[in-house]
Amino acid sequence: MTIELENVQTFRNRDFTDYTYDDFDDLYKEFDTNNLDAIKLVQFENCRFHNYSSQLLHINANFTECTFNNINIYELSESISFINCNITKVLISSSIDLKGAFSISNTKSETNTIGTVEISNSVLKGSFSIKNIDIGFLNISNTNFEELFEFHNITIKDIGSSDGIIFDEIIFKGIAIFDDCTFDVNAIFKYVLFEKFSQFRNTTFHSGINLDYCSYDKNINFFHIQGLETKTSKENTSQETYRIIKHNFEQLANKIEANKYHALELKKLRSNTPWYTPNYLVQLIHLISSNNSQWWLLSLFWIFVVGLSTFFSIDNFVCHRFSCTSNWLDYFKYISIINLDNCIKENPLIFILNKISLGYLYYQFLMSVRKDTRK
């Protein structure tokens, strides 16, 4: 939106910390025109505020390098932006629709931190964005975002709530973007609906993520997310969440990442399975043999172990009775699943254990190799 300079009112280096609602209303009298309707934008540069309320101005507003203790958004008929501002707390809560766009951004190289951002019981019809900001405590609940929602290069600090960051009862009707963000606490999305495209590209979850109660109409892009394989994240991330991430990678034909989260899903399944059940034993063997079809070298190692064990077993229990050769080169015969020489057939137990083990390990070897090469 281009606004002519004569339609812009600017205040510089003003202290508004003691202003009341009526005082802000008097600001209109300072405008450089007798026609209030001609003013399309009011700018504040290097100004100080205590408790700023969106009810104070009903014109598009830009705040640049200003200082706020509290920003309270109760109504928003026009757009409002905060650039390189020092803000302690942002509260957005309204019983009426908020029609204007809202944005907070930092364009400087040094870190800019907001102590608290709380959004509740609101409908935001305009776009909402926060960029290049650290947030100490974040909570969003019972809110609809009808246009673009964007968190870009946001860091959520590990303070505020021990239960984690909660996005509760939210509908993203527009595009929802979480790009290059860092969550230092558990990110909980509870009863959240993504109606359009959404993404968590290059986002790091140091303490896990919960998507168990999420719904989405379009695929979610989790490209290059990080941190969900750490010990803390695995404790706070459910099997269902790993399955959701895996499924979205599969829908995008990203088999490599899908296999990675399939392995994490299986690890979570194993941690939830009692150790004394047969299923736990099967899952444990799957882990030991190939790290859930992820490491082909591990399968290859066990193939050679089976061959070596078979060689020594035949040497000790069969050769001295049936004059089988015990040359060390015979070892390589017993890593072959198709080897059916008389020496190994003389002992049915060794034969069965060798063939079953090699069959399983060769399958795991092939699955591990194909995980990064299949279409």
Side-chain angles (χ1 to χ4, degrees), residues 54 73-77 92-94 96-101 122-126:
S54 61
I73 306 297
Y74 300 115
E75 61 182 67
L76 193 61
S77 57
I92 299 177
S93 181
S94 178
I96 63 174
D97 293 351
L98 303 175
K99 298 179 180 179
S122 301
V123 175
L124 283 82
K125 290 187 171 294

Side-chain angles (χ1 to χ4, degrees), residues 94-292:
S94 178
S95 59
I96 63 174
D97 293 351
L98 303 175
K99 298 179 180 179
F102 180 92
S103 68
I104 302 176
S105 62
N106 174 34
T107 62
K108 296 182 178 181
S109 57
E110 59 265 27
T111 301
N112 191 340
T113 301
I114 299 176
T116 300
V117 175
E118 293 188 62
I119 305 172
S120 62
N121 306 313
S122 301
V123 175
L124 283 82
K125 290 187 171 294
S127 62
F128 178 91
S129 68
I130 301 181
K131 299 180 179 180
N132 307 317
I133 301 289
D134 288 1
I135 300 176
F137 172 69
L138 171 69
N139 186 278
I140 305 178
S141 62
N142 194 28
T143 297
N144 292 355
F145 296 93
E146 299 196 352
E147 293 294 332
L148 171 69
F149 174 95
E150 182 178 18
F151 270 9
H152 178 77
N153 192 27
I154 301 300
T155 298
I156 312 300
K157 298 293 186 179
D158 190 10
I159 59 176
S161 172
S162 60
D163 296 328
I165 301 304
I166 299 178
F167 299 83
D168 187 20
E169 296 188 24
I170 299 171
I171 299 177
F172 293 103
K173 293 189 175 182
I175 296 173
I177 297 176
F178 296 82
D179 268 357
D180 299 296
C181 296
T182 301
F183 290 88
D184 288 338
V185 294
N186 189 16
I188 302 174
F189 291 78
K190 189 174 183 180
Y191 306 117
V192 173
L193 172 61
F194 296 96
E195 290 191 355
K196 291 187 178 179
F197 173 79
S198 54
Q199 69 177 27
F200 291 83
R201 183 184 294 269
N202 297 319
T203 291
T204 301
F205 300 94
H206 288 305
S207 296
I209 179 174
N210 190 317
L211 300 173
D212 288 12
Y213 296 93
C214 279
S215 299
Y216 48 92
D217 293 337
K218 305 290 185 180
N219 290 329
I220 302 176
N221 188 350
F222 291 99
F223 177 74
H224 205 246
I225 60 171
Q226 302 178 61
L228 293 182
E229 68 282 355
T230 65
K231 180 180 179 181
T232 302
S233 286
K234 286 189 287 188
E235 290 175 352
N236 295 325
T237 304
S238 68
Q239 178 187 340
E240 175 65 11
T241 296
Y242 284 130
R243 187 202 64 79
I244 290 172
I245 297 173
K246 177 197 71 175
H247 172 75
N248 279 275
F249 276 122
E250 288 176 340
Q251 295 302 304
L252 295 172
N254 190 335
K255 299 297 184 181
I256 296 175
E257 291 297 312
N259 286 327
K260 172 183 175 181
Y261 288 97
H262 176 63
L264 290 171
E265 179 189 2
L266 292 178
K267 289 181 180 178
K268 194 68 179 183
L269 173 63
R270 186 174 62 256
S271 67
N272 295 330
T273 303
W275 64 269
Y276 51 82
T277 62
N279 284 339
Y280 183 87
L281 178 60
V282 172
Q283 295 161 20
L284 184 62
I285 293 173
H286 191 34
L287 173 68
I288 295 173
S289 63
S290 62
N291 190 29
N292 298 312

Side-chain angles (χ1 to χ4, degrees), residues 8 25 28 43 104 118 190 243 268 302 315 341 350:
V8 177
D25 195 45
Y28 292 114
Q43 294 187 146
I104 302 176
E118 293 188 62
K190 189 174 183 180
R243 187 202 64 79
K268 194 68 179 183
W302 285 111
D315 187 47
D341 67 1
I350 296 176

Side-chain angles (χ1 to χ4, degrees), residues 290-326:
S290 62
N291 190 29
N292 298 312
S293 299
Q294 296 295 300
W295 294 353
W296 61 268
L297 280 174
L298 188 57
S299 297
L300 195 62
F301 165 78
W302 285 111
I303 288 172
F304 282 102
V305 168
V306 169
L308 185 64
S309 300
T310 303
F311 173 78
F312 280 114
S313 297
I314 289 176
D315 187 47
N316 291 319
F317 301 115
V318 177
C319 286
H320 68 281
R321 289 182 293 166
F322 298 97
S323 301
C324 292
T325 61
S326 59

